């Protein structure tokens, strides 16, 4: 699954266009490397997102094309 789509489906970032912009600005790291929006994400990957001065680090647990709001938090684990 594409990185930008995972960020949207998991609700780490609200909109896919915002996820694209964050990736283009170099604020999203996958396994310690800056990643493009088109980067493939798989379970076990560690995603780091920089929101201003705050950094959020999560591990991908599973991938789904769509999900309900209540189930979105089951797609990742905070580190």
């Amino acid at each position: 699954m594409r990185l930008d789509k995972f960020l949207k489906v998991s609700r780490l970032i609200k909109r896919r266009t915002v996820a694209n912009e964050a990736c283009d600005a170099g604020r999203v790291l996958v396994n310690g490397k800056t990643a493009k929006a088109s980067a493939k994400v798989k379970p076990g990957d560690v995603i780091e997102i920089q929101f201003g001065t705050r950094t959020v680090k999560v591990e991908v647990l599973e991938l789904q094309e769509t999900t309900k709001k209540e189930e979105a938090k089951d797609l990742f684990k905070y580190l």
Side-chain angles (χ1 to χ4, degrees), residues 1 7 27 33 50-51 53 55 62 67 72 77 79:
M1 175 183 282
L7 292 174
R27 293 191 312 239
K33 298 181 185 135
Q50 296 161 350
F51 294 107
T53 58
T55 301
E62 67 175 289
T67 184
K77 172 179 72 174
L79 299 175

Side-chain angles (χ1 to χ4, degrees), residues 53-64:
T53 58
R54 202 167 58 105
T55 301
V56 175
K57 197 171 188 180
V58 298
E59 180 183 348
V60 179
L61 297 178
E62 67 175 289
L63 303 176
Q64 290 183 5

Side-chain angles (χ1 to χ4, degrees), residues 1-74:
M1 175 183 282
R2 286 174 55 106
L3 175 60
D4 58 346
K5 183 163 185 179
F6 176 79
L7 292 174
K8 181 203 175 287
V9 169
S10 66
R11 290 177 167 76
L12 285 166
I13 295 181
K14 295 274 188 261
R15 289 187 301 278
R16 195 161 171 181
T17 53
V18 176
N20 267 313
E21 290 166 6
C23 292
D24 291 344
R27 293 191 312 239
V28 181
L29 307 174
V30 176
N31 298 326
K33 298 181 185 135
T34 49
K36 293 183 178 179
S38 61
K40 297 291 178 203
V41 178
K42 59 190 180 306
D45 284 349
V46 175
I47 300 174
E48 219 174 307
I49 309 165
Q50 296 161 350
F51 294 107
T53 58
R54 202 167 58 105
T55 301
V56 175
K57 197 171 188 180
V58 298
E59 180 183 348
V60 179
L61 297 178
E62 67 175 289
L63 303 176
Q64 290 183 5
E65 290 298 312
T66 59
T67 184
K68 293 187 171 99
K69 189 168 132 183
E70 302 81 39
E71 298 167 1
K73 64 184 179 307
D74 299 333

